[in-house]
Amino acid sequence: MGRVTASLDDLPLRDDLRGLTPYGAPQVPLPIALNVNENTHPVPDEVASDILDDIAVALRDINRYPDREFTTLRESFADYLGHGLDASQIWAGNGSNEVLQHILQAFAGPGRTVFGFAPTYSMYPLLARGTGASWVAGSRHDDYTITAEEAAAQVADADPDVVILCTPNNPTGTPLGLDVVEAVYEAARGVVIVDEAYQEFAPRDAASALTLLEGRPRLAVSRTMSKAFAFAGARVGYLAADPAFIDALRLVRLPYHLSALTQAAAVAALRNSATMLRMVDEIVEQRDRITATLEALGYQPHASWSNFVLFGGVADPDATWQALYERGILVRDIGIPNHLRVSAGTEAETTAFLDALASIDSAS
């Protein structure tokens, strides 16, 4: 029999999902991929060996369901984050996207709204719509900053059920001051999520929103192991919040949602956090090198507290992206006119990108 194919239009898809496109960045086998903000440094050999030892132990009981409460992992995250946190204030999932999805399943949904300041992480609208909620986009200044007063006024006007603050912001690298977080929390009647996926790349003296958790039960601070810990393929995200907030997430999580192997790998990586985080200093050095060289080449890089640089002044982003592609280098066109974004890689990867860009001469 011939194979019968159908399109989405032929299926009884939810009306609010029709016409949407899934999240995705190009996945092509180029020598230098600097397009999705990965940590391009491999996990150090001594840490990889320690992780493998713990996974081997976990495999002995793989016929049994894992610890549903992932207690040891939550304790490990609490120890890593500090600030007096304990396991009752920690949640985790298969990547920070799943953690955010849990929050929206619990606090958003049909008839509710999710708010963020655009441009920001492109998954937020998709997660909102996937849970049946509506996405509402606020605005920033041309340099992507926003004051506490402006942020609070926009949140009060929109009156959302969930606010997501990405800091440092993806795709711009822009930080938000804690005064913005405090003002937004006071203006919001719903929950406020501070997505600190790139916090480890911020200056050492930059305060985290973790310092604001006490006395704010509607506040959650989300993190990931994908970036600083070079754990993108392991898919581990987590958050800190009031214990009651954590209880809300238990209502929507799937049973045994974190595998025993995931838990074992993450606990071992956290045990070696000092070694893992040495990569951060190297990445920040390359990020700052990218910024300085882009300025010298005539582009306009935006200040970044993350592991990537968004830069403007690109006369033709499509042509520049293609020219870099043909030279074996993958960067990201995020749809902001005359801009491209590049992740900070190893010294060799960064050199290859900067040399290739200099050879193109595409600054406007």
Side-chain angles (χ1 to χ4, degrees):
M1 292 181 61
R3 182 178 171 186
V4 177
T5 61
S7 70
L8 279 178
D9 291 337
D10 299 318
L11 299 175
L13 189 68
R14 280 169 31 194
D15 289 340
D16 60 319
L17 294 182
R18 292 192 181 279
L20 299 183
T21 56
Y23 173 86
Q27 288 187 299
V28 292
L30 289 188
I32 300 175
L34 302 174
N35 65 320
V36 289
N37 304 340
E38 294 162 320
N39 183 336
T40 65
H41 294 65
V43 173
D45 289 342
E46 63 271 29
V47 180
S49 295
D50 201 20
I51 292 171
L52 287 172
D53 288 344
D54 280 25
I55 289 176
V57 172
L59 275 170
R60 297 172 187 165
D61 295 318
I62 205 67
N63 58 309
R64 301 292 187 181
Y65 285 119
D67 174 12
R68 184 176 58 240
E69 292 300 312
F70 44 99
T71 306
T72 301
L73 179 55
R74 289 164 62 211
E75 291 171 346
S76 297
F77 277 130
D79 289 342
Y80 169 68
L81 291 176
H83 296 286
L85 295 168
D86 61 45
S88 71
Q89 297 169 274
I90 302 295
W91 189 250
N94 295 286
S96 59
N97 286 327
E98 184 179 64
V99 170
L100 295 173
Q101 185 179 58
H102 286 164
I103 297 173
L104 298 189
Q105 286 176 316
F107 296 103
R112 295 193 171 197
T113 56
V114 181
F115 178 94
F117 296 103
T120 193
Y121 183 32
S122 59
M123 269 304 297
Y124 297 157
L126 294 178
L127 289 168
R129 290 165 184 152
T131 61
S134 299
W135 169 255
V136 179
S139 61
R140 301 170 180 263
H141 291 290
D142 290 343
D143 63 355
Y144 306 119
T145 60
I146 187 169
T147 68
E149 294 77 11
E150 292 163 342
Q154 290 189 49
V155 168
D157 184 61
D159 191 30
D161 297 280
V162 178
V163 179
I164 308 180
L165 304 174
C166 189
T167 178
N169 185 48
N170 179 11
T172 66
T174 317
L176 286 176
L178 293 189
D179 60 330
V180 176
V181 178
E182 290 178 292
V184 166
Y185 186 88
E186 292 304 317
R189 60 174 173 80
V191 301
V192 177
I193 309 162
V194 183
D195 184 351
E196 291 188 341
Y198 299 93
Q199 181 66 24
E200 284 91 347
F201 301 99
R204 294 287 175 82
D205 59 353
S208 164
L210 293 168
T211 61
L212 302 179
L213 286 175
E214 182 68 29
R216 293 182 174 90
R218 293 180 288 109
L219 181 65
V221 180
S222 172
R223 294 278 188 98
T224 181
M225 296 187 75
S226 293
K227 314 301 181 182
F229 278 83
F231 242 45
R235 310 309 302 130
V236 184
Y238 58 105
L239 67 75
D242 187 270
F245 195 109
I246 305 302
D247 284 341
L249 305 184
R250 288 188 174 90
L251 300 176
V252 297
R253 60 100 178 268
L254 295 174
Y256 312 104
H257 71 286
L258 277 176
S259 79
L261 304 186
T262 297
Q263 293 182 42
V267 168
L270 288 164
R271 191 167 59 240
N272 290 274
S273 61
T275 301
M276 297 288 273
L277 293 178
R278 287 185 196 133
M279 295 179 284
V280 169
D281 291 336
E282 298 175 26
I283 293 167
V284 168
E285 182 179 348
Q286 297 309 313
R287 179 199 70 198
D288 294 344
R289 178 185 169 210
I290 289 171
T291 297
T293 306
L294 286 171
E295 288 178 340
L297 291 173
Y299 296 97
Q300 291 91 53
H302 294 274
S304 175
W305 281 17
S306 60
N307 70 338
F308 58 83
V309 179
L310 175 72
F311 59 102
V314 185
D316 188 337
D318 288 342
T320 302
W321 185 94
Q322 185 63 40
L324 289 170
Y325 179 93
E326 291 168 358
R327 288 163 173 77
I329 298 168
L330 194 60
V331 298
R332 187 76 174 268
D333 184 346
I334 55 165
I336 298 177
N338 303 112
H339 282 70
L340 290 171
R341 191 191 70 192
V342 61
S343 306
T346 63
E347 182 178 3
E349 291 170 331
T350 299
T351 297
F353 161 70
L354 293 173
D355 287 351
L357 188 65
S359 73
I360 296 168
D361 189 25
S362 62
S364 57

